[in-house]
Amino acid sequence: MAEQTPAPATTELWVERTGTRLYTGRSSRGAEVLIGSESVEGVFTPGELLKIALAACSGMSSDFPLSRRLGDDYDATIRVSGAADRESEVYPQLDEVLELDLSELDAEAQERLVALVERSVDKVCTVGRTLKAGTKVTLSIKRD
Protein backbone atom coordinates (compact mmCIF):
# COMPACT_ATOMS: atom_id res chain seq x y z
CA MET A 1 0.00 0.00 0.00
CA ALA A 2 1.40 3.40 -1.03
CA GLU A 3 2.27 5.80 1.75
CA GLN A 4 0.16 8.96 1.79
CA THR A 5 2.02 12.24 2.05
CA PRO A 6 0.23 14.89 4.09
CA ALA A 7 -1.26 17.82 2.19
CA PRO A 8 0.78 21.00 2.56
CA ALA A 9 -0.56 23.43 5.14
CA THR A 10 -2.60 26.25 3.65
CA THR A 11 -0.87 29.61 3.88
CA GLU A 12 -2.89 32.05 5.94
CA LEU A 13 -3.19 35.57 4.52
CA TRP A 14 -4.41 38.73 6.23
CA VAL A 15 -3.99 42.48 6.35
CA GLU A 16 -3.60 44.61 9.46
CA ARG A 17 -4.49 48.28 9.62
CA THR A 18 -1.44 50.36 10.46
CA GLY A 19 -2.82 53.87 9.83
CA THR A 20 -5.40 55.82 7.88
CA ARG A 21 -5.83 53.85 4.62
CA LEU A 22 -2.57 52.03 5.39
CA TYR A 23 -2.29 48.26 5.82
CA THR A 24 0.39 45.61 6.01
CA GLY A 25 -0.40 42.41 4.16
CA ARG A 26 1.02 39.34 5.87
CA SER A 27 1.36 35.60 5.30
CA SER A 28 1.87 32.77 7.74
CA ARG A 29 5.17 32.13 5.89
CA GLY A 30 6.54 35.47 7.13
CA ALA A 31 6.07 37.63 4.02
CA GLU A 32 4.95 41.25 4.27
CA VAL A 33 3.81 43.89 1.80
CA LEU A 34 2.88 47.51 2.51
CA ILE A 35 -0.47 48.62 1.10
CA GLY A 36 -1.96 52.07 0.96
CA SER A 37 -3.16 54.96 -1.15
CA GLU A 38 -1.49 56.00 -4.38
CA SER A 39 -0.44 59.26 -2.69
CA VAL A 40 1.76 57.41 -0.17
CA GLU A 41 5.37 56.60 -1.12
CA GLY A 42 6.70 53.09 -0.54
CA VAL A 43 3.38 51.23 -0.67
CA PHE A 44 1.40 49.32 -3.27
CA THR A 45 -2.25 50.06 -3.87
CA PRO A 46 -4.56 47.03 -3.89
CA GLY A 47 -5.01 47.44 -7.66
CA GLU A 48 -1.25 47.50 -8.17
CA LEU A 49 -0.95 44.27 -6.18
CA LEU A 50 -3.60 42.69 -8.41
CA LYS A 51 -1.59 43.66 -11.49
CA ILE A 52 1.68 42.47 -9.97
CA ALA A 53 0.06 39.16 -9.00
CA LEU A 54 -1.02 38.72 -12.63
CA ALA A 55 2.44 39.52 -14.00
CA ALA A 56 4.19 37.29 -11.45
CA CYS A 57 1.80 34.43 -12.20
CA SER A 58 2.48 34.74 -15.92
CA GLY A 59 6.21 34.80 -15.24
CA MET A 60 6.11 31.77 -12.99
CA SER A 61 3.84 29.91 -15.44
CA SER A 62 6.30 30.51 -18.27
CA ASP A 63 9.46 29.90 -16.26
CA PHE A 64 9.83 26.19 -16.99
CA PRO A 65 9.47 26.31 -20.80
CA LEU A 66 11.64 29.42 -21.02
CA SER A 67 14.42 28.11 -18.78
CA ARG A 68 14.40 24.80 -20.66
CA ARG A 69 14.99 26.62 -23.95
CA LEU A 70 16.97 29.70 -22.85
CA GLY A 71 18.83 28.37 -19.80
CA ASP A 72 18.26 28.92 -16.10
CA ASP A 73 19.76 32.41 -16.12
CA TYR A 74 17.50 34.00 -18.75
CA ASP A 75 16.29 37.57 -18.10
CA ALA A 76 12.61 38.43 -18.26
CA THR A 77 10.57 41.46 -17.33
CA ILE A 78 6.79 41.43 -17.38
CA ARG A 79 5.18 44.84 -17.50
CA VAL A 80 1.50 45.10 -16.67
CA SER A 81 -0.80 48.04 -17.07
CA GLY A 82 -4.45 48.92 -17.13
CA ALA A 83 -6.36 51.95 -15.95
CA ALA A 84 -9.26 51.63 -13.56
CA ASP A 85 -12.71 52.70 -14.68
CA ARG A 86 -13.50 54.84 -11.64
CA GLU A 87 -17.19 55.09 -12.52
CA SER A 88 -17.60 51.30 -12.28
CA GLU A 89 -14.59 50.68 -9.97
CA VAL A 90 -13.23 47.88 -12.17
CA TYR A 91 -10.20 47.30 -14.36
CA PRO A 92 -11.86 46.67 -17.74
CA GLN A 93 -8.58 45.54 -19.32
CA LEU A 94 -5.14 44.54 -18.10
CA ASP A 95 -2.27 44.37 -20.59
CA GLU A 96 0.89 42.35 -20.01
CA VAL A 97 4.11 42.57 -22.01
CA LEU A 98 6.72 39.84 -21.49
CA GLU A 99 10.13 41.22 -22.47
CA LEU A 100 12.62 38.54 -23.52
CA ASP A 101 15.84 38.42 -25.51
CA LEU A 102 15.20 35.72 -28.10
CA SER A 103 17.93 36.90 -30.49
CA GLU A 104 19.82 33.61 -30.13
CA LEU A 105 16.89 31.74 -31.71
CA ASP A 106 15.92 31.75 -35.37
CA ALA A 107 12.49 33.12 -36.32
CA GLU A 108 10.84 29.68 -36.42
CA ALA A 109 12.20 28.70 -33.00
CA GLN A 110 11.07 32.04 -31.60
CA GLU A 111 7.52 31.47 -32.86
CA ARG A 112 7.41 27.96 -31.39
CA LEU A 113 8.67 29.22 -28.02
CA VAL A 114 6.21 32.14 -27.95
CA ALA A 115 3.33 29.75 -28.72
CA LEU A 116 4.50 27.38 -25.97
CA VAL A 117 4.75 30.22 -23.44
CA GLU A 118 1.27 31.48 -24.34
CA ARG A 119 -0.18 27.98 -23.91
CA SER A 120 1.63 27.51 -20.58
CA VAL A 121 0.35 30.79 -19.19
CA ASP A 122 -3.19 30.14 -20.44
CA LYS A 123 -3.14 26.66 -18.89
CA VAL A 124 -1.54 27.20 -15.47
CA CYS A 125 -1.64 30.89 -14.48
CA THR A 126 -4.28 30.71 -11.76
CA VAL A 127 -4.48 34.48 -11.34
CA GLY A 128 -5.03 35.11 -15.04
CA ARG A 129 -7.48 32.25 -15.35
CA THR A 130 -9.45 33.56 -12.34
CA LEU A 131 -9.57 37.10 -13.70
CA LYS A 132 -10.74 35.86 -17.11
CA ALA A 133 -13.39 33.56 -15.62
CA GLY A 134 -14.55 35.86 -12.84
CA THR A 135 -14.95 34.60 -9.30
CA LYS A 136 -17.40 34.76 -6.45
CA VAL A 137 -16.15 36.92 -3.57
CA THR A 138 -17.78 36.90 -0.15
CA LEU A 139 -17.27 39.15 2.86
CA SER A 140 -18.44 38.37 6.35
CA ILE A 141 -18.07 40.61 9.39
CA LYS A 142 -16.85 38.97 12.60
CA ARG A 143 -18.00 41.03 15.57
CA ASP A 144 -16.44 40.77 19.01
Side-chain angles (χ1 to χ4, degrees):
M1 189 163 181
E3 207 173 297
Q4 297 257 357
T5 55
T10 301
T11 301
E12 292 183 39
L13 302 171
W14 68 96
V15 296
E16 294 174 354
R17 186 175 190 269
T18 57
T20 302
R21 293 181 50 84
L22 288 173
Y23 289 80
T24 299
R26 302 186 189 281
S27 86
S28 57
R29 295 192 330 269
E32 293 184 351
V33 63
L34 303 178
I35 307 162
S37 299
E38 197 170 0
S39 61
V40 179
E41 288 296 313
V43 303
F44 289 105
T45 68
E48 290 167 343
L49 287 173
L50 174 76
K51 293 174 194 176
I52 286 175
L54 176 62
C57 188
S58 293
M60 293 172 69
S61 298
S62 62
D63 197 77
F64 182 69
L66 287 171
S67 64
R68 239 184 32 223
R69 188 64 180 96
L70 303 176
D72 285 335
D73 61 347
Y74 75 93
D75 292 324
T77 300
I78 303 168
R79 300 190 188 278
V80 61
S81 61
D85 173 345
R86 289 298 171 205
E87 192 172 305
S88 301
E89 288 299 335
V90 298
Y91 291 97
Q93 180 169 335
L94 298 175
D95 299 303
E96 295 179 279
V97 177
L98 172 53
E99 299 172 356
L100 293 169
D101 179 1
L102 300 180
S103 61
E104 298 293 316
L105 303 177
D106 64 38
E108 190 176 305
Q110 286 185 27
E111 291 305 314
R112 281 194 311 269
L113 183 57
V114 166
L116 178 60
V117 165
E118 289 171 342
R119 281 194 311 272
S120 294
V121 171
D122 285 344
K123 184 177 180 182
V124 299
C125 177
T126 306
V127 175
R129 291 174 60 83
T130 300
L131 288 170
K132 288 174 185 175
T135 192
K136 180 180 176 183
V137 178
T138 63
L139 171 67
S140 60
I141 310 291
K142 180 180 176 183
R143 294 176 272 184
D144 292 327

